[in-house]
Amino acid sequence: NAGVTQTPKFRILKIGQSMTLQCAQDMNHNYMYWYRQDPGMGLKLIYYSVGAGITDKGEVPNGYNVSRSTTEDFPLRLELAAPSQTSVYFCASSSRTGLRTDTQYFGPGTRLTVL
Amino acid sequence: DAKTTQPPSMDCAEGRAANLPCNHSTISGNEYVYWYRQIHSQGPQYIIHGLKNNETNEMASLIITEDRKSSTLILPHATLRDTAVYYCIVGSHNNFNKFYFGSGTKLNVKP
């Protein structure tokens, strides 16, 4: 299993440009999450999904959009990039079995710079 | 959602046990305590988690107080490769296991 994969690893955007950060998992996990991490800070939840077609906002959703059309993929869309979105973005996934939710598994991250 | 409090940094001598504390005084009955670590800017790595009882795996031990308001992660024989930021998180399947990260503890393992 590849686990959680993210592309691209690095990206530089100009202000106002758009892009999609890709995230895929091959563990058949129901739950997927997007976080951002600013320098010296902990991760903050942007959006999450509990299954295909179901998404919801986290702590810092403004400026982002998500979709979940399949179990495997959970792309994050930036429509009008701003310098405040310069950050490292992590995708994660976890499963739910019965009444328990498994721990989260994280991808390697995408480092985004907006100039 | 329960929040956690951790010291910003700790030092540990190589080969000695590292004991990392965490306060989670508002934890609710169905919330688990998770520990992750992050080396440089890599993705967070799972270490261990528990609900009430103490837990041990090949990486670490987790000691949870009886009232569940605090816990301690123990790395029994710290190595230089254990230098990282350690995050204590509480999460519940009732809340889709969403994680709320604090700033963590930077553990510096010194030769």
Side-chain angles (χ1 to χ4, degrees), chain A residues 33 35 37 42-43 45 48 50 59 90 96 99-104 106-107 111, chain B residues 32 34 36 38 41-44 46 49 87 93 96-103:
Chain A
Y33 313 82
Y35 296 87
Q37 184 175 34
L43 284 69
L45 183 65
Y48 68 100
V50 300
E59 299 175 88
F90 292 100
R96 175 162 180 167
L99 294 178
R100 277 215 40 190
T101 302
D102 196 2
T103 188
Q104 290 188 26
F106 285 81
R111 187 177 298 274
Chain B
Y32 286 75
Y34 295 85
Y36 280 75
Q38 188 175 29
S41 293
Q42 298 175 18
Y46 168 78
H49 74 287
Y87 293 101
H93 67 267
F96 310 111
N97 214 30
K98 292 182 287 184
F99 282 176
Y100 295 91
F101 286 75
S103 298

Side-chain angles (χ1 to χ4, degrees), chain B residues 8-54:
Chain B
S9 66
M10 294 182 63
D11 291 336
C12 178
E14 189 177 19
R16 303 297 294 267
N19 296 279
L20 290 84
C22 178
N23 286 321
H24 31 79
S25 58
T26 60
I27 193 171
S28 62
N30 58 10
E31 287 183 312
Y32 286 75
V33 179
Y34 295 85
W35 282 84
Y36 280 75
R37 72 181 182 185
Q38 188 175 29
I39 298 173
H40 298 301
S41 293
Q42 298 175 18
Q45 176 191 20
Y46 168 78
I47 301 172
I48 198 168
H49 74 287
L51 183 64
K52 296 180 184 178
N53 300 321
N54 299 337

